Amino acid sequence: MTSHIVGYPRIGPKRELKFALESFWEGKSSAEELKQVAADLRFSIWKQMAEVGIKYIPSNTFSYYDHVLDTTAMLGAVPPRYGWNGGEIGFDVYFSMARGNASVPAMEMTKWFDTNYHYIVPELGPDVKFSYASHKAVEEYKEAKALGLDTVPVLIGPLSYLLLSKPAKGVDKSFSLLSLVEKIVPIYKEVVAELKAAGATWIQFDEPSLVLDLEALQLQTFTNAYSELESSFSGVNILIETYFADVPIQTYKALTSLKNVAGFGFDLVRGTRTLNFLKSGFPSDKYLFAGVVDGRNIWANDLAASLCILQVLEGIVGKDKVVVSTSCSLLHTAVDLVNETKLDKEIKSWLAFAAQKVVEVNALARALVGQKDQAFFASNATSHVSRRSSPRVRNENVQRAVVALKDSDHRRATSVSARLAAQQKKLNLPILPTTTIGSFPQTIGLRKVRREYKAKKITEYDYVNAIKEEISKVVKLQEELGIDVLVHGEPERNDMVEYFGEQLSGFAFTVNGWVQSYGSRCVKPPIIYGDVSRPRAMTVFWSSTAQSMTRRPMKGMLTGPVTILNWSFVRNDQNRHETCYQIALAIRDEVEDLERAGINIIQIDEAALREGLPLRKSEQPFYLEWAVQSFRITNCGVKNTTQIHTHMCYSNFNDIINAIINMDADVITIENSRSDEKLLSVFHEGVKYEAGIGPGVYDIHSPRIPSTEELADRINKMLSVLDNRVLWINPDCGLKTRKYSEVEPALRNMVAAAKLIRTQLASSN
């Protein structure tokens, strides 16, 4: 009986790591106290898996911030600006790379493949002096061993690490990062040697990049790297793990041809076509780690169906060569369903969080060797019947409305240039108008008000007055700072997706279903279990209240359908695009109500549109087609004078710029500063963008406050490729995670920079 878990959530069942990190960063606790919290979390994770019966328990999947950053530390690839002079990398350098500090900015952060997890992008070049500078993988293995547990240390493989990297500032963009493989492989050899000396019998190399459409050079680099590592693999079993999609056939052949590798892991949930490759041939002396339990969603596994797949695989690769596994790390799921005491019982019976998925893996492994838990399988089958037959899942009116969408492309009637002219006549904004993305700092007092209202400790009257008071404070602050287009600060919202999901039918919510987004930032994705509709207006009261407090334009703030979809745990019993169209129709109702209420600027955030882009190129056009159409559905019926904004955050946008243009928004605000302004490169290359655009001028995920001069310099860089009539000035993202002591001076400098450039432009005319 063999079972395996690719990786496990780090944050703890009640966000213990988040609170420990924030306490440490604020100087309220010591490094030793933070390390103790981390050690306690690791022990509880390992102990849980061991008690369930998992054979291959992962280690080195815990991280204080990000596992890619951990690999950067392991390789000693610290950018010079952080002043590291060698030796073991400590918290000061590590967290400076992740978050920046008073003198230098953080490293770029972007999405991990097609997930909502963010990783810190390595900055590499020909002059990087790689060295073995973090022994974390070995230390955690020894820690587990001292507790009586033999774990499988997990490393990000050399190919994926290099493909996830970018050229450092000043390095020619034509420099081949893959050429660095010969410099990092010796360090991987050192790590493997230390792990073997410590007693490791298995080592897992994660190579998720193998599911991409690799070029010949990239695939050859992979083969060369592992051929070079081959000698160091003697005396230890090596597992190469892939996940998130099918492995292309040529990659499959190259992967399974490697020598001195004991096993290969495949995602058989999102990579169903890989089954055909396995049927056509698999090395007889290798282990197959079969990822049949979904690591990306929270629905209970169909145990009977998975067992059938495993039995087929057993017939292909041999009875003792199949290892039951998760499809990927459980990092992307909530931690433990046991903590959900308030969740509807019927819906709860349909779910499995990380702790329950560990049990599912073990149950399948036992069943595969003839030790099937009949009661457990029967209960699982009953839950699936319940879900398929539940009347709360399907709404015929919603289904008919989606079918009716097929007769239109849902474009607004006039061009964006004509709309912008009509909007400017009504709004009368200055050139380089300033705005923010939506949220303002979520203070302790504000969180307490929301918490007490949910717990019915204060009345609705008291709650509404408290929120109005917060909105008034935010409005007055923006007016005092001189911001041109205001927001109400979203004080009534804890989370942008959760807030809307709570008011839409077809959604369920958890109390402790937290998932790590990056560092200490956690999100609690709603669960879409049924057809989606909007029973009543969601934001009109708050937006109208805020607009009544000022003569300046006030943005109505909505989350777009694609982002709500991609930031939720989505039902797996109908196509994702069908669910997205349902959400789009619900948001359209809200947009039209806001317009009727006199809101002239409506922002429909699509922060996660790029995130959902399929990893395989052949699947991308269809996704972009329905994702873009979903956004257009939300606002195709508004007047020319109603200005539609959208916002996108940390991701690689350049390859989908045409889809962004096709969204036909009037203004888009988009992340730019933390990625060294690489977004601007598409405009250098001649892309014409006629709508308003606000590339973020400063990084809100760092506590660092940029100076007026620095911000003015960034604006000038933007003006070298963008017309001043379409450029907006704004931060990268919402301000909810920052403190007012950081927000006020940063925004003050931002407005000052905009005014400075306006003056310069006026004097040059």
Side-chain angles (χ1 to χ4, degrees), residues 2-17:
T2 51
S3 51
H4 167 251
I5 304 298
V6 176
Y8 202 81
R10 315 152 178 161
I11 57 171
K14 295 187 178 179
R15 296 181 292 166
E16 290 86 347
L17 179 61

Side-chain angles (χ1 to χ4, degrees), residues 570-611:
V570 183
R571 56 189 294 191
N572 59 1
D573 59 342
Q574 77 174 6
N575 291 324
R576 287 176 69 87
H577 68 272
E578 298 287 341
T579 302
C580 198
Y581 288 152
Q582 294 177 2
I583 303 169
L585 288 171
I587 299 300
R588 183 177 71 180
D589 292 344
E590 188 71 12
V591 168
E592 293 173 355
D593 279 352
L594 282 168
E595 185 182 54
R596 280 191 288 269
I599 304 301
N600 296 314
I601 302 179
I602 303 171
Q603 181 169 309
I604 309 166
D605 288 345
E606 284 297 12
L609 187 140
R610 173 61 176 80
E611 173 184 313

Side-chain angles (χ1 to χ4, degrees), residues 264-377:
F264 308 102
F266 298 103
D267 182 339
L268 300 181
V269 176
R270 292 183 172 233
T272 53
R273 285 176 291 187
T274 302
L275 280 170
N276 295 328
F277 303 156
L278 293 167
K279 291 175 183 177
S280 66
F282 186 82
S284 59
D285 59 339
K286 309 294 186 185
Y287 288 91
L288 170 62
F289 286 69
V292 294
V293 173
D294 193 352
R296 293 274 300 267
N297 217 328
I298 44 70
W299 302 105
N301 186 270
D302 186 337
L303 296 178
S306 293
L307 184 58
C308 287
I309 292 171
L310 292 167
Q311 288 168 338
V312 169
L313 293 173
E314 204 175 45
I316 297 168
V317 305
K319 206 166 184 62
D320 61 341
K321 295 295 184 181
V322 175
V323 180
V324 183
S325 184
T326 53
S327 65
C328 63
S329 172
L330 298 175
L331 172 70
H332 310 288
T333 66
V335 180
D336 196 341
L337 196 56
V338 168
N339 295 317
E340 301 306 324
T341 56
K342 297 181 180 179
L343 191 60
D344 178 274
K345 289 184 178 179
E346 182 183 30
I347 294 174
K348 187 174 181 179
S349 72
W350 304 342
L351 308 178
F353 290 0
Q356 288 69 47
K357 289 177 184 293
V358 170
V359 175
E360 289 179 337
V361 166
N362 190 63
L364 286 166
R366 291 177 63 86
L368 199 57
V369 295
Q371 300 175 22
K372 184 176 181 181
D373 185 333
Q374 298 292 349
F376 187 71
F377 270 69

Side-chain angles (χ1 to χ4, degrees), residues 536-592:
R536 63 191 69 84
M538 301 179 287
T539 66
V540 175
F541 173 76
W542 296 119
S543 293
S544 300
T545 298
Q547 183 64 81
S548 72
M549 297 175 179
T550 181
R551 292 184 177 181
R552 300 188 187 198
M554 175 65 63
K555 287 195 284 191
M557 302 300 303
L558 304 175
T559 302
V562 184
T563 296
I564 290 177
L565 183 89
N566 286 335
W567 285 357
S568 298
F569 290 125
V570 183
R571 56 189 294 191
N572 59 1
D573 59 342
Q574 77 174 6
N575 291 324
R576 287 176 69 87
H577 68 272
E578 298 287 341
T579 302
C580 198
Y581 288 152
Q582 294 177 2
I583 303 169
L585 288 171
I587 299 300
R588 183 177 71 180
D589 292 344
E590 188 71 12
V591 168
E592 293 173 355

